[in-house]
Amino acid sequence: LTDGTSIRLTGEDVERGTFSHRHAVFHDVNNGRVHVPLQILPQAKAAFEVHNSPLTENAVIGFEYGYNIQEPSRLVIWEAQYGDFINGAQVMIDEFIVSARGKWGQRPSLVLLLPHAHEGQGPDHASARPERFLQLAADLNMRVANCTTAAQFFHLLRRQASLLTVDPLPLVVLTPKSLLRHPLVASAPRELTEGRFRMVLQDTDAAARAADIRRILVCTGKVYTDLVAAEQRATRPDVAICRIEQLYPVPMRDLRAMIETYTNADEVVWVQEEPENMGAWEFI
């Protein structure tokens, strides 16, 4: 907003947030007045709007896609209450969003926020199925990311905003619910005000003893916190745990540079929490 990019945020309970309060909209219990802090930001140079959308994903995604095409300079974001709710809009995704350039000659930049991962919410909410998007990834038709820190998420959205008129592409973001309050995800203010989005995150502890590393674990998303918090972590100083934050386009240069840091490594292993055919494994 301070850079002059207008934002439209819609989705299921986006005004208050789901399971973690967003505080995008406040309601005065005494008089019913509505207060939106980002609409009165003193340094803002652009408009901010936020609206709850109904559980009719196919229609809503179609509307937001059309809005995005008509307003290409505005950051248009839609968030699912659960990531797998996007399954109800699969026709819109296949027919329009991922094939916009090749089939329709359009250049959308719609952002889809899909809370993802096995969070104990039952079979209907177990996965946003990242493999579905990765199977549709071709000819640089979108960006797919799975962020694991607050700063990474912030800089990813800032990058998307800066590319709206330069290199517009749809952005699919898998955002694990269980990481909303996880201490490993928290970022210092300096990390938000400085830096940039990094497509691969190095294991800084392992890099300091690179010559001792024999096995490199590569993963994305929530499973990283499970790995670093595991009991075996302290007993295996020969293992590095690295993250891919952008799944498509695959950051091959950064990935190679990370692997080449460990000159004595014998093995590179992909780790995921999803079943074999429901994560990034087959694509990677």
Side-chain angles (χ1 to χ4, degrees):
L1 294 176
T2 60
D3 288 340
T5 301
S6 296
I7 300 171
R8 171 181 171 84
L9 171 63
T10 69
E12 295 146 0
D13 287 331
V14 293
E15 293 183 7
R16 66 173 176 85
T18 305
F19 307 115
S20 178
H21 289 296
R22 174 175 276 124
H23 299 316
V25 178
F26 290 94
H27 296 267
D28 192 314
V29 297
N30 296 312
N31 55 32
R33 290 180 181 173
V34 175
H35 175 69
V36 182
L38 287 177
Q39 290 181 349
I40 60 167
L41 198 66
Q43 59 269 47
K45 301 174 184 176
F48 173 81
E49 60 175 323
V50 55
H51 307 287
N52 290 334
S53 67
L55 293 170
T56 53
E57 290 82 4
N58 198 56
V60 172
I61 294 299
F63 182 88
E64 297 302 331
Y65 175 83
Y67 191 103
N68 175 219
I69 293 298
Q70 292 296 316
E71 292 284 344
S73 62
R74 182 173 301 217
L75 185 63
V76 181
I77 305 172
W78 180 81
E79 180 179 72
Q81 192 174 84
Y82 286 96
D84 36 20
F85 285 7
I86 197 68
N87 297 342
Q90 200 66 42
V91 172
M92 285 294 174
I93 293 168
D94 293 356
E95 185 70 15
F96 295 102
I97 295 177
V98 300
S99 56
R101 290 191 175 198
K103 185 180 287 186
W104 305 111
Q106 296 177 328
R107 295 162 61 85
S109 56
L110 179 64
V111 180
L112 302 177
L113 303 183
L114 308 179
H116 158 73
H118 299 277
E119 311 282 41
Q121 299 293 335
D124 284 345
H125 304 315
S127 171
R129 301 199 175 183
E131 99 288 349
R132 286 192 175 181
F133 288 96
L134 296 175
Q135 287 171 352
L136 295 167
D139 298 328
L140 300 180
N141 60 339
M142 61 177 156
R143 301 183 182 97
V144 181
N146 193 349
C147 300
T148 52
T149 74
Q152 282 284 92
F153 182 56
F154 179 64
H155 289 304
L156 175 67
L157 292 179
R158 279 184 56 80
R159 184 185 71 169
Q160 182 74 1
S162 68
L163 294 174
L164 287 177
T165 58
V166 180
D167 185 19
L169 283 175
L171 171 63
V172 178
V173 189
L174 303 163
T175 50
K177 286 183 184 292
S178 68
L179 298 192
L180 289 168
R181 300 181 182 88
H182 201 293
L184 286 177
V185 174
S187 297
R190 182 180 295 276
E191 295 177 275
L192 296 170
T193 58
E194 300 176 2
R196 58 178 177 83
F197 176 67
R198 291 177 290 166
M199 293 182 281
V200 173
L201 292 181
Q202 175 68 275
D203 184 336
T204 53
D205 292 336
R209 56 177 194 283
D212 300 329
I213 300 301
R214 295 293 182 269
R215 169 183 281 193
I216 306 169
L217 302 185
V218 184
C219 61
T220 187
K222 181 179 81 77
V223 72
Y224 168 77
T225 61
D226 298 331
L227 291 171
V228 296
E231 295 179 359
Q232 297 93 328
R233 173 69 162 161
T235 63
R236 293 299 302 272
D238 61 322
V239 174
I241 305 176
C242 304
R243 287 164 279 175
I244 296 182
E245 300 276 290
Q246 177 174 291
L247 292 166
Y248 185 80
V250 181
M252 290 303 300
R253 183 184 301 173
D254 294 352
L255 190 55
R256 284 198 185 98
M258 180 270 294
I259 293 175
E260 289 172 357
T261 300
Y262 307 103
T263 54
N264 295 323
D266 304 314
E267 192 176 24
V268 179
V269 182
W270 176 261
V271 185
Q272 67 182 33
E273 61 180 348
E274 304 92 350
E276 183 176 355
N277 67 336
M278 286 178 58
W281 160 245
E282 291 184 353
F283 180 82
I284 293 294

